[in-house]
Amino acid sequence: MAAYAASVSLMTLMEQIENHPRFSISVDKNQIESLREKIGFLLKFVENNTRGVINKEAQVLLSQISSSAYSAEDVIKSHVFDQTHAMEDAKRKVIKRKDGSISLLDLQTVIEDIDSIKKRVMEFKDESGAKDDLPLTYSVPATTTTTTTSSTPLTSITGKSTMVGFEIELHELMDRLTGLQSNLQIIPIVGMGGIGKTTLAKYAYENSLITRPFYIRRWVTVSQKYDVRGLLLQLSEQSSEMISKTDEQLGDELYTRLCGRKYLVVIDDLWSEEAWEKLKRFFPNDKNGSRIVVTTRIWDVANNFGSSCLRVNFLDKVKSWELFCEKAFGNQVGCPSKLENIGKDIVKKCKGLPLSISVIGGLLGRSSHMTQKYWKIISNDIISNVNLDQNENCLSILSLSYTYLPPHLKPCFLFMGFFSEDDEIHVSTLMKLWVAEGFIKPNKAQSLEDIAIGHFNDLIDMNLVLRYSSGANGRVVYCKIHDLLRDLSIKKSGVCG
């Protein structure tokens, strides 16, 4: 979503410079005003034409807008850098006038380029026969409201911890966790990506019936690329003293802490037997009812534990619809009758995969367009092909959810791909990074951080970002992104517009 991010970043930079007493006197106000007017026009075009399927002509225009906006920002930033260091440097590309302002030649060239793009956009709009406030490349109205209240907490509107569709599996898992068997029990949970393995394990892990009997509880995420030392530090209480220990010392320390105590350990997203082999000797079997839960996509890994696997299957038609309604409408009465048939057609195309249902439900639930026309467009755009396997079908639906994201959320979502797989992301730091990257369009009613919080809540409610831990006040402190969605963000980062 380069065009939106570049335009917003340039608008923010111009506002910051104009409000800075030192820099504002050295810029040509007429040039800046001309640039602001043109970028404002193009930004409106971007906002109206980056939600939905974008045609090739619009993609070219968006790419040109992105390039020109970044060029203008580079010229202005270079001048600011020169002025800050207060020295003449003949080698610099930006030539200063005698009064110290940006060279008319440099900035004027960029302005002329942007004006040329503006004219092409106007021609494109005339040929499309569309109005200023309507999108030109598809028939779905673009979201225009990006303002949130300044008191919006870092939490989710529809984010209650619910377990929809897997009540039987949850009951079995709880029984095995609280059973009378005294020997250490390993409980493998197996199923494809996005099926709900981690959700099932986490719901049981946080259940009050589980938190009370286990003296120690630990959660560790392994992933495909794992580091044994990092895993041992996750399982231990991280401190400066622990960090200085060797891997073997960390393992021995973990064994000592668990020894004689009833513990519950969740090993999430295990991809290989090798990772387990390196960890298993640090878990004592004191015959006190301790349990280890392992989630994995690999059947060979699950069968390696020698205990019966808890298989998470696809949701049936009834459970799929129940999950969709919970994600789309939350605590409301249910799906409006006028949308029910279309909604069920959409759910059917998700083929019982909870992640697909949750994301598409979150997209539709957060949209202000609860119309048959809008839902039919979404339904028609979902690829439901019997020749697609479940992974391909899931990725196509997740991709569609990105396509229909409001433009102000796209760069924020794409940025999530810069974090490593299964990273625990500090939300406060994430907000600052979004602001620093220029993703947040300013308004006079809120600070940039407050607007960023609103964007974060929207991504949470759309199930594109996951809350990982919350503080005592209920605000999300750390978040994560599902690895399939992270893969999508990385893939989409290379797409124009």
Side-chain angles (χ1 to χ4, degrees):
M1 197 32 215
Y4 180 86
S7 301
V8 168
S9 182
L10 178 57
M11 293 284 281
T12 302
L13 176 64
M14 289 190 290
E15 181 177 331
Q16 290 171 342
I17 289 178
E18 284 194 319
N19 292 333
H20 196 291
R22 182 179 177 186
F23 299 134
S24 60
I25 60 174
S26 67
V27 294
D28 187 302
K29 290 190 168 108
N30 290 330
Q31 283 184 322
I32 293 297
E33 190 55 40
S34 173
L35 184 59
R36 187 200 306 280
E37 181 274 326
K38 291 174 172 57
I39 288 296
F41 173 87
L42 295 177
L43 180 58
K44 186 174 182 180
F45 171 78
V46 171
E47 290 175 328
N48 284 340
N49 289 274
T50 50
R51 190 181 185 189
V53 179
I54 305 172
N55 65 33
K56 291 183 178 179
E57 187 176 356
Q59 285 181 4
V60 171
L61 290 172
L62 292 170
S63 178
Q64 292 172 344
I65 291 170
S66 171
S67 178
S68 296
Y70 280 132
S71 295
E73 186 172 353
D74 286 343
V75 170
I76 297 173
K77 281 185 175 180
S78 295
H79 165 68
V80 172
F81 179 84
D82 286 347
Q83 190 181 61
T84 300
H85 289 75
M87 63 180 181
E88 295 293 335
D89 187 351
K91 293 182 179 181
R92 298 214 178 273
K93 293 181 180 180
V94 177
I95 307 170
K96 297 180 183 179
R97 298 191 329 199
K98 291 181 180 180
D99 60 2
S101 64
I102 302 173
S103 167
L104 283 171
L105 177 63
D106 293 328
L107 190 54
Q108 190 59 36
T109 299
V110 175
I111 292 174
E112 289 173 0
D113 287 342
I114 293 176
D115 188 56
S116 175
I117 296 172
K118 177 183 175 182
K119 291 177 181 178
R120 288 196 289 273
V121 167
M122 294 176 70
E123 293 173 357
F124 175 71
K125 292 174 69 175
D126 289 340
E127 292 172 1
S128 302
K131 298 180 180 180
D132 286 343
D133 58 345
L134 292 177
L136 306 170
T137 55
Y138 63 106
S139 56
V140 180
T143 299
T144 57
T145 302
T146 62
T147 304
T148 56
T149 60
S150 59
S151 59
T152 304
L154 288 169
T155 186
S156 169
I157 298 171
T158 60
K160 292 186 177 180
S161 178
T162 56
M163 194 69 222
V164 178
F166 295 112
E167 293 83 359
I168 295 175
E169 290 85 350
L170 178 62
H171 187 271
E172 179 183 344
L173 178 57
M174 295 287 286
D175 277 351
R176 294 176 67 172
L177 289 173
T178 58
L180 299 178
Q181 297 90 341
S182 59
N183 277 324
L184 173 64
Q185 299 288 310
I186 300 176
I187 308 169
I189 302 176
V190 63
M192 71 168 285
I195 199 72
K197 303 181 298 296
T198 299
T199 301
L200 177 63
K202 193 170 183 63
Y203 195 91
Y205 182 81
E206 295 176 344
N207 192 292
S208 59
L209 295 176
I210 300 302
T211 58
R212 285 195 295 265
F214 290 97
Y215 186 81
I216 296 176
R217 290 183 307 128
R218 293 287 187 270
W219 184 293
V220 62
T221 304
V222 181
S223 303
Q224 293 187 67
K225 297 179 181 179
Y226 65 90
D227 169 51
V228 174
R229 180 176 182 79
L231 299 178
L232 291 172
L233 284 170
Q234 285 187 64
L235 290 165
S236 307
E237 294 179 3
Q238 295 190 38
S239 64
S240 57
E241 180 184 353
M242 295 298 291
I243 292 174
S244 64
K245 293 180 180 293
T246 65
D247 293 1
E248 193 67 26
Q249 289 172 330
L250 285 173
D252 291 341
E253 183 77 19
L254 175 62
Y255 185 92
T256 301
R257 291 189 180 186
L258 297 179
C259 198
R261 296 177 175 89
K262 185 176 181 178
Y263 62 86
L264 168 62
V265 172
V266 176
I267 302 176
D268 187 34
D269 202 18
L270 184 67
W271 283 77
S272 68
E273 298 176 19
E274 179 187 40
W276 168 248
E277 291 297 325
K278 293 178 179 179
L279 291 175
K280 68 178 185 179
R281 62 193 176 97
F282 300 121
F283 300 116
N285 181 8
D286 294 320
K287 299 184 178 180
N288 56 6
S290 293
R291 299 288 186 266
I292 297 176
V293 175
V294 178
T295 73
T296 181
R297 306 178 189 188
I298 315 298
W299 271 101
D300 287 345
V301 173
N303 291 328
N304 183 56
F305 294 104
S307 54
S308 62
C309 299
L310 200 166
R311 179 172 182 171
V312 183
N313 295 304
F314 297 101
L315 298 177
D316 61 23
K317 184 193 306 185
V318 174
K319 294 298 183 182
S320 294
W321 179 246
E322 183 182 348
L323 177 61
F324 173 81
C325 290
E326 194 273 333
K327 296 299 181 183
F329 306 106
N331 294 326
Q332 296 180 19
V333 176
C335 180
S337 57
K338 66 178 182 178
L339 299 175
E340 188 168 330
N341 288 336
I342 307 172
K344 288 184 176 179
D345 182 57
I346 291 172
V347 171
K348 181 180 179 181
K349 293 177 180 179
C350 292
K351 298 183 178 180
L353 188 66
L355 180 61
S356 299
I357 296 169
S358 296
V359 170
I360 205 73
L363 172 72
L364 293 171
R366 292 293 293 169
S367 170
S368 59
H369 310 294
M370 290 289 181
T371 64
Q372 290 182 335
K373 182 179 180 181
Y374 178 67
W375 281 40
K376 283 180 180 177
I377 291 171
I378 299 294
S379 178
N380 291 337
D381 281 346
I382 296 178
I383 300 173
S384 182
N385 191 319
V386 294
N387 295 320
L388 289 179
D389 64 25
Q390 288 292 352
N391 283 309
E392 291 173 328
N393 188 67
C394 175
L395 291 175
S396 71
I397 292 173
L398 298 184
S399 181
L400 178 70
S401 298
Y402 169 80
T403 298
Y404 283 94
L405 267 183
H408 63 279
L409 295 181
K410 285 186 174 180
C412 298
F413 172 73
L414 293 182
F415 189 78
M416 304 301 290
F418 285 99
F419 295 97
S420 299
E421 185 177 351
D422 291 314
D423 261 5
E424 297 171 18
I425 304 164
H426 190 250
V427 176
S428 179
T429 301
L430 179 64
M431 300 300 98
K432 294 174 183 176
L433 289 171
W434 284 354
V435 171
E437 290 290 334
F439 296 159
I440 309 302
K441 182 180 179 182
N443 65 58
K444 295 181 180 179
Q446 298 173 280
S447 69
L448 293 176
E449 289 75 13
D450 286 335
I451 301 171
I453 290 171
H455 293 2
F456 175 78
N457 283 339
D458 287 342
L459 292 176
I460 286 278
D461 288 338
M462 291 178 177
N463 303 293
L464 294 173
V465 175
L466 307 172
R467 82 176 46 73
Y468 183 72
S469 66
S470 303
N473 59 2
R475 296 191 175 192
V476 182
V477 179
Y478 286 92
C479 67
K480 299 181 79 170
I481 182 171
H482 193 284
D483 54 1
L484 292 180
L485 288 167
R486 177 179 173 273
D487 291 344
L488 174 67
S489 69
I490 293 172
K491 179 180 178 181
K492 292 294 182 181
S493 293
V495 179
C496 291

